[in-house]
Amino acid sequence: MRRLLLFVVFLFFLNFLWTSYGDQVVPTDMQSSIEKAKVHLDSFLESESLSNGLDFFQAVIVDIVEELDEKVDEYKKEQTYPEQNSIDVPVLETPTDQAFTIYNTKIGEKKKNVELLLGSPKRIGLNEYGTDWHTYHENYHNFVKVIYDENQQVVGLYTNQDLIASSNGIKLNSSKQAVREALGEPLKQMQKGFFYYLLDEKDDYDIYKIDGNYVTIFYDKHENNTVTAVQIITDDIENSKDSMYTDGNDKLKEGFELQLFDLVNATRVNHDLPILIWDNRVRETARKHSLDMAENGYFDHTNLQGQTPFDRMKADGVSYMLAGENLAYGQFSSIFAHEGLMNSLGHRKNVIHPEFEYLAVGVAFNTESHPYYTQKYYAK
C-alpha cells in the first residue's frame, strides 16, 4: 500500500513537470531531469519510514524544479537576439530598373540569388494568395518575406525594417507627405474579378500601381505618419485573388498565426526588445476565442459567457504574472493585421511591452472568410 501511495505521488510529480515545463524546455533537458527523478524514486521507495520518505522526496522535488527553472532561463537567453553590432547591416543600393527593392532584392529575382544573399528561410507558410511566404531573418534582424512563383522568381516582397531602397528616395521613416509628393495620389479602389472594392482613405497605408506591381506603403501614425513597412506584389499574383478575402482553411490559419508571431518579433527588435517565445498551450486559448467570435458574430475581449482574457487563460491552466490580449478582425492578411495593431495605441503597447516573454496567436474564419486574430501575451 505504501509503495502504491508513493508511486501515485511520483506520477503526480511527473505530470507537474510536463504541465509546467513541457512547452518551454528542450526535450533533452527535460528527459535528463526526469531520469534523475526516477533515480531518486528508487531511494524514495526504499525509505524505511513513510514520513522520512516524504521529507526526502520533497527535497528532491525542490532540487529538480530549481534545476528546471535554471534550464528555462538558459533557454530564454538562447532565444533572445544577439547584440546589434553582431548583425551585418546591408549596404542598400539605389535601384535603377525598378521603383523599389528590399534588401537589394527586386521583383523577378531568381530564388537562388536571393538565398545566396539571405540564406535559407526560417519559416515557410501559406499566405492569402495561395502561395507561400518565405521568411528570412537573423534572429529577427534583416527581416524579409518573399513569395516565389512556379519559376522560382520573386513575385512578392515585404519588410518592416530599414531594408527599403527606391529610385525616388523613399525609405523607412520617410514621411507620408514625401511619399505622396513622389508617387502621387494612391489608388482609391481595386478590381477583383467583376467587382471593384473601395479602399478606405482612413486606413494607415497607401496602395500604388507601379511597374506592374501593387506597392503598399504602411505608415506609423504614432511616429509622425512615417513609412514603417512596404509590401510589393506583382499584378499577376494580386489578380489571382478574385476577392479581397481568401477562403479559410487549416493551412492558411496556421500560416496567418505564425506570420503574425514573426511580425511581432521583427517589430520588437526594431525597438531593442527581446524576442518572444511561442507557446502552444496559449495558442489553443487564442484559437478558441477567435473561433467563438467568428461563429457567434461578435468582436470583444469578453466572451458571451462573461469570461475575460484572463479568465480564459486560467481555465486553460495557463499561469502568468503578467498578461495581455490583442484582437484584430477583417484585415486581409497578418501583415495588414499587424500594421493595424501597431497603429492602435493600446495594442501597440502589448506588442512592444518590455516584460512580456511568451506569445501565441489563434486565427479563425467566419462564413465570409473574414479572419479573426487573437494574440495572447504573457510573462511568468
Side-chain angles (χ1 to χ4, degrees), residues 198-210:
L198 294 178
L199 300 174
D200 191 345
E201 294 182 12
K202 295 181 181 179
D203 285 329
D204 298 305
Y205 59 83
D206 287 335
I207 301 178
Y208 292 92
K209 187 71 174 295
I210 305 172

Side-chain angles (χ1 to χ4, degrees), residues 127-197:
N127 60 39
E128 68 274 21
Y129 298 104
T131 59
D132 291 322
W133 277 119
H134 292 66
T135 303
Y136 303 86
H137 58 83
E138 302 168 64
N139 294 296
Y140 290 101
H141 293 273
N142 295 335
F143 182 83
V144 180
K145 297 174 74 66
V146 184
I147 301 174
Y148 301 103
D149 65 10
E150 64 277 7
N151 298 316
Q152 301 301 296
Q153 290 182 300
V154 174
V155 291
L157 288 164
Y158 168 88
T159 190
N160 62 355
Q161 296 185 350
D162 191 10
L163 303 170
I164 303 161
S166 66
S167 58
N168 42 44
I170 297 169
K171 57 185 179 180
L172 195 76
N173 299 323
S174 292
S175 69
K176 187 175 189 175
Q177 179 182 351
V179 171
R180 290 191 171 184
E181 286 176 355
L183 301 180
E185 287 297 309
L187 297 178
K188 305 295 185 185
Q189 60 186 17
M190 290 183 69
Q191 183 177 2
K192 294 292 180 183
F194 297 106
F195 300 96
Y196 285 90
Y197 292 84

Side-chain angles (χ1 to χ4, degrees), residues 12-241:
F12 175 81
F13 176 51
L14 286 185
N15 180 68
F16 164 77
L17 288 180
W18 283 117
T19 302
S20 300
Y21 296 98
D23 290 332
Q24 302 174 32
V25 182
V26 291
T28 53
D29 285 344
M30 176 60 72
Q31 187 64 34
S32 65
S33 296
I34 290 178
E35 289 300 326
K36 179 183 290 187
K38 290 178 180 177
V39 171
H40 285 305
L41 179 64
D42 292 337
S43 300
F44 177 43
L45 293 175
E46 294 302 322
S47 300
E48 296 181 0
S49 153
L50 177 59
S51 60
N52 289 341
L54 289 174
D55 289 342
F56 172 72
F57 196 57
Q58 182 179 8
V60 170
I61 291 175
V62 171
D63 177 62
I64 292 176
V65 169
E66 286 179 351
E67 180 182 343
L68 285 171
D69 280 335
E70 290 177 2
K71 289 176 179 176
V72 169
D73 290 339
E74 292 173 3
Y75 179 62
K76 289 178 184 176
K77 290 176 182 178
E78 289 173 0
Q79 300 307 303
T80 58
Y81 59 90
E83 295 298 323
Q84 176 68 37
N85 58 17
S86 69
I87 300 294
D88 291 333
V89 178
V91 176
L92 300 178
E93 301 172 0
T94 301
T96 56
D97 57 345
Q98 291 187 16
F100 288 90
T101 58
I102 291 176
Y103 203 152
N104 298 324
T105 298
K106 61 184 180 180
I107 295 295
E109 192 80 62
K110 286 288 189 181
K111 181 180 179 181
K112 63 180 182 180
N113 295 333
V114 174
E115 297 198 341
L116 282 174
L117 177 65
L118 303 181
S120 299
K122 296 296 191 296
R123 195 186 309 281
I124 300 173
L126 188 67
N127 60 39
E128 68 274 21
Y129 298 104
T131 59
D132 291 322
W133 277 119
H134 292 66
T135 303
Y136 303 86
H137 58 83
E138 302 168 64
N139 294 296
Y140 290 101
H141 293 273
N142 295 335
F143 182 83
V144 180
K145 297 174 74 66
V146 184
I147 301 174
Y148 301 103
D149 65 10
E150 64 277 7
N151 298 316
Q152 301 301 296
Q153 290 182 300
V154 174
V155 291
L157 288 164
Y158 168 88
T159 190
N160 62 355
Q161 296 185 350
D162 191 10
L163 303 170
I164 303 161
S166 66
S167 58
N168 42 44
I170 297 169
K171 57 185 179 180
L172 195 76
N173 299 323
S174 292
S175 69
K176 187 175 189 175
Q177 179 182 351
V179 171
R180 290 191 171 184
E181 286 176 355
L183 301 180
E185 287 297 309
L187 297 178
K188 305 295 185 185
Q189 60 186 17
M190 290 183 69
Q191 183 177 2
K192 294 292 180 183
F194 297 106
F195 300 96
Y196 285 90
Y197 292 84
L198 294 178
L199 300 174
D200 191 345
E201 294 182 12
K202 295 181 181 179
D203 285 329
D204 298 305
Y205 59 83
D206 287 335
I207 301 178
Y208 292 92
K209 187 71 174 295
I210 305 172
D211 300 331
N213 305 314
Y214 286 92
V215 179
T216 304
I217 301 178
F218 297 94
Y219 304 104
D220 189 333
K221 70 180 183 183
H222 299 294
E223 296 290 344
N224 300 314
N225 271 323
T226 52
V227 175
T228 189
V230 169
Q231 175 183 274
I232 309 169
I233 302 292
T234 65
D235 183 82
D236 287 343
I237 293 296
E238 186 61 55
N239 290 334
S240 67
K241 289 174 59 183

Side-chain angles (χ1 to χ4, degrees), residues 248 290-291 293-297 329 364-372:
S290 288
L291 183 60
M293 291 189 293
E295 289 182 339
N296 292 291
Y329 161 69
F365 300 89
N366 67 11
T367 55
E368 296 179 306
S369 296
H370 297 172
Y372 287 75

